[in-house]
Amino acid sequence: MRSLREARGWTQIELAKRIGVSPSYMSQIEANQRSLSGTVVVELARVLRVNVSVFSDNDSDRLVGTLRELLSDPAFGPPDITLRELKALSLHAPRVGRALVDLHALYRRLEERHRALDEALTTSGGSSGTPVQQSAFDEVRDYFHFIGNYVDSLDHAAERLVRQWGGAPGGTANALAEHLETKFNFTIERQTPTDGSHFVSRLDKDRGLIILNDTLPRATQSFALARHLAFLAYGGAIDELVASAAFHSPDAGKVCAAALANYFAGALVMPYSHILEEARRVRHDIERLATTFSVSMEQVCHRLSTLQRPGLEGIPTYFLRVDRAGNITKRHSATRFQFARYGGACPIWNIHEAFETPDRFLVQAAEMPDGARYLSIARAITKGEARFDALRLRYSIGFGCELTYASEFVYSDAVDLRNPSPLVKIGVSCRLCERADCHQRAVPPIDRRIAMDASRRNIIPYQVE
């Protein structure tokens, strides 16, 4: 609120007068000594001409979670920073907090290179004073994390294009191919790979040709066409977004451009108003939505996590994808849910169990250490070509929402929301989890002491103090 006021050149007295409160009350709010009432929030949004969601604490919660995880790094020694201090930092000095995140990423990257005896720190690079930055993928993940996983300009552009086509849900694929052929003079050709390659699509500008792998599902082929269209028609808009992100490394810009093209593709095959309305109608039944829009279940889950248009928000959801080794290969969230930044996810979370029952949705009522409760849904999926010698990729996808919104999901019918028992107590990762009684703990929590009793052996060989 202080930033918005100062950007307009107003004093506290001026803003207080405009929204009808006393100057002392205004001062207490900005000092975080008084909470914002609903009436004051509405008046602030009207006077400052911003959306009410600006005053949400989601960004603050995300920053607190990120800071808490990075401060658990052994490099900082025994952690003695309290959660209250982290919350105060995120509220009063968020730029300092994000600078800490960047600094820690730089440290980790330097450490990795040192351990691998990487020669990236050459004499010229060192003398120029150019810092070694975090990996490109981590930079891009942080970018989407802090923008709330919603890109307004691309989302509206996709929706306008679908309206021009007059398309109904699920009918985008044919219109998309026709648009590429008539507007950009590209011929669509489908081929079966015969050289051992596993490509999805190829664009040949010289020949005016887009080649699709015909052994892949139609949903994958349509998504690939939409991605090519993103670069052809909205390449300038994507470049502007990448430039505004001010990434430290050129590689991060390239990764972000690809991610933004994928974002546009998802928005095109599942237009915002259509997917929002249909998701509400079928209570977020992933299989029904996939059928309606002729897309994959993974694409639906990812799209649901982006439905955060100001004033027309969907249910805040999270989405992630893990491989058999527990590596998180995708993660997006419009919720307070915190993912492990490094290492695997909580072992008792149902996303791992999904691999054992590949044809079923697993439903779990889960509670994080901060007390937040979630409806967690998981499903194993297989990706690959439709042929005998195809390369198969196996993942588990997870999605869900806070238990407050659980009734909006058809999967909540498997849980008694009045008494969600058993309530599975999960965590971000073992290194960060405060639960002393977890029987699946892999390593001790970084911020707690352990005790060893030579005369006693439990499932976990130490006790957490």
Side-chain angles (χ1 to χ4, degrees), residues 117-138:
L117 299 179
D118 196 318
E119 296 182 358
L121 291 175
T122 60
T123 302
S124 60
S127 62
S128 67
T130 302
V132 180
Q133 299 297 337
Q134 67 190 120
S135 73
F137 283 97
D138 281 341

Side-chain angles (χ1 to χ4, degrees), residues 291-304:
T291 300
T292 299
F293 290 91
S294 301
V295 295
S296 70
M297 289 189 292
E298 180 182 342
Q299 289 168 351
V300 171
C301 293
H302 190 168
R303 181 58 170 149
L304 291 179

Side-chain angles (χ1 to χ4, degrees), residues 188-209:
I188 313 300
E189 183 177 303
R190 291 178 168 83
Q191 295 181 2
T192 299
T194 57
D195 57 357
S197 63
H198 302 284
F199 75 93
V200 175
S201 65
R202 294 171 178 164
L203 184 143
D204 188 335
K205 286 188 175 181
D206 294 333
R207 298 167 59 195
L209 190 65

